[in-house]
């Protein structure tokens, strides 16, 4: 259907999607000239991203006293990407290698909100698709047709499993779904803990309490974990989980802003 995400296949209970031409066109237009402020999940601050009419990507700090500027050329031949060198004067703690920035959009399950994203990977590593960081815009109502999709749903005995990269913590998490119950566990390390939460299918979200035995450095309050679907301009979607504190119970300030994101690792359905 025009303007919708169309189901391609199902693997291990999770729906995998391809992007329709109308949706891809909407995303391509979003990678357009102008400026946008993004929350930097890894660094915990904000960045301003500007795309010029000559398709130059300009990145500057936002909301602090830092003074640096990065420029790169956008590659629009397949999606919207740029190879970024953050090793510029006055930039604190730049990565030791160039990062590939890829533009995404993400939508919530009922099609009422859309976020724009920049995902960062190391194209020269042995895992070139592994997400290292994500920058997230404030959610906005979609322009044009909505792109609603169904929240993952299982019977009492059916099960789905997903491996995700935790952008803030820099490690991996595993989520197992049985019915409406989420089992969250560490993955690919020596930690041993588990968190149980209930998935609300209407909002495709769950309230998660990470203050459990064995979990290092849990947040000081329960967080809301919301399921988003993210897509670049010309590829399949990825599952993306966004964590927020809508009531500011953690006293971080800026209630509802993204505090962390978990991104599906490729071929882990």
């Amino acid at each position: 259907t025009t303007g919708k995400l169309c189901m391609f296949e199902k693997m291990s209970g999770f729906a995998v999607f391809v992007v329709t031409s109308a949706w891809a066109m909407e995303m391509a237009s979003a990678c357009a000239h102008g400026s946008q402020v993004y929350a930097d999940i890894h660094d915990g601050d904000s960045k301003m991203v500007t795309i010029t009419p000559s398709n130059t990507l300009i990145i500057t700090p936002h909301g602090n006293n830092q003074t640096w500027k990065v420029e790169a050329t956008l590659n629009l031949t397949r999606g919207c990407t740029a190879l970024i060198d953050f090793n510029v004067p006055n930039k604190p703690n730049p990565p030791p290698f160039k990062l590939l920035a890829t533009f995404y959009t993400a939508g919530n399950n009922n099609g009422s909100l859309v976020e724009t994203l920049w995902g960062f990977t190391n194209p020269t590593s042995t895992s070139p698709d592994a997400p290292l960081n994500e920058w997230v815009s404030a959610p906005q109502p979609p322009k044009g047709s909505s792109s609603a999709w169904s929240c993952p749903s299982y019977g009492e005995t059916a099960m789905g499993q997903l491996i995700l990269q935790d952008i803030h913590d820099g490690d991996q998490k595993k989520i197992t779904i049985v019915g409406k119950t989420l089992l969250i566990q560490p993955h690919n390390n020596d930690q041993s803990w588990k968190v149980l939460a209930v998935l609300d299918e209407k909002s495709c979200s769950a309230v998660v309490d990470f203050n459990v035995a064995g979990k290092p450095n849990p947040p000081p309050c329960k967080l809301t974990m919301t399921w988003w679907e993210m897509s670049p301009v010309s590829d399949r979607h990825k599952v993306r989980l966004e964590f927020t504190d809508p009531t500011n119970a953690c006293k971080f300030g800026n209630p509802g802003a993204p505090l962390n994101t978990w991104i599906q690792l490729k071929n882990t359905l």
Side-chain angles (χ1 to χ4, degrees):
T1 304
T2 301
K4 301 287 186 179
L5 294 174
C6 295
M7 189 165 67
F8 178 75
E9 60 181 332
K10 286 191 176 181
M11 302 173 62
S12 303
F14 284 93
V16 180
F17 296 86
V18 292
V19 182
T20 66
S21 58
W23 180 249
M25 288 173 62
E26 181 179 340
M27 290 189 290
S29 66
C31 185
H33 308 151
S35 298
Q36 176 70 56
V37 175
Y38 291 86
D40 183 327
I41 298 300
H42 182 273
D43 291 359
D45 57 12
S46 297
K47 304 295 195 294
M48 175 72 78
V49 176
T50 300
I51 299 176
T52 71
S54 60
N55 290 327
T56 297
L57 186 73
I58 301 174
I59 302 171
T60 54
H62 179 79
N64 56 36
N65 60 3
Q66 295 179 19
T67 56
W68 53 266
K69 182 169 72 171
V70 169
E71 294 189 9
T73 300
L74 280 175
N75 182 350
L76 303 178
T77 57
R78 188 177 185 273
C80 182
T81 64
L83 194 61
I84 309 292
D85 185 359
F86 284 102
N87 189 13
V88 296
N90 300 319
K91 173 73 173 72
N93 304 312
F97 40 76
K98 295 180 181 180
L99 297 179
L100 181 66
T102 301
F103 179 84
Y104 294 85
T105 60
N108 64 350
N109 68 309
N110 61 21
S112 64
L113 292 174
V114 172
E115 294 176 334
T116 59
L117 319 166
W118 287 96
F120 293 87
T121 57
N122 178 7
T124 63
S125 75
T126 56
S127 301
D129 296 314
L132 301 177
N133 194 9
E134 184 180 69
W135 296 357
V136 187
S137 74
Q140 300 288 338
K143 297 178 181 179
S145 56
S146 64
S147 301
W149 45 271
S150 297
C151 190
S153 180
Y154 299 89
E156 291 301 319
T157 59
M159 183 176 73
Q161 196 170 84
L162 193 63
I163 308 299
L164 305 108
Q165 182 71 26
D166 183 325
I167 297 301
H168 181 273
D169 292 358
D171 57 11
Q172 296 175 10
K173 303 296 194 293
K174 178 173 70 175
I175 293 185
T176 303
I177 303 179
V178 180
K180 296 180 182 179
T181 300
L182 304 178
L183 171 61
I184 304 172
Q185 296 172 287
H187 181 74
N188 201 27
N189 59 32
D190 58 0
Q191 295 179 21
S192 179
W193 51 267
K194 64 180 180 180
V195 169
L196 294 174
V198 177
L199 183 65
D200 177 70
E201 293 185 56
K202 184 177 181 180
S203 63
C204 209
S205 66
V207 176
V208 182
D209 186 357
F210 286 104
N211 189 14
V212 296
K215 173 73 172 71
N217 304 312
C221 70
K222 298 177 182 179
L223 299 180
T224 298
M225 180 181 75
T226 303
W227 203 286
W228 295 71
E229 302 285 3
M230 59 185 285
S231 284
V233 172
S234 56
D235 204 350
R236 295 186 187 179
H237 91 309
K238 292 182 181 180
V239 172
R240 175 178 174 273
L241 304 180
E242 183 173 293
F243 292 84
T244 59
D245 174 20
T247 64
N248 199 30
C250 288
K251 305 302 181 184
F252 292 142
N254 199 11
L259 301 174
N260 194 11
T261 56
W262 295 359
I263 302 174
Q264 173 194 350
L265 293 177
K266 188 176 181 180
N267 298 327
T268 60
L269 288 177

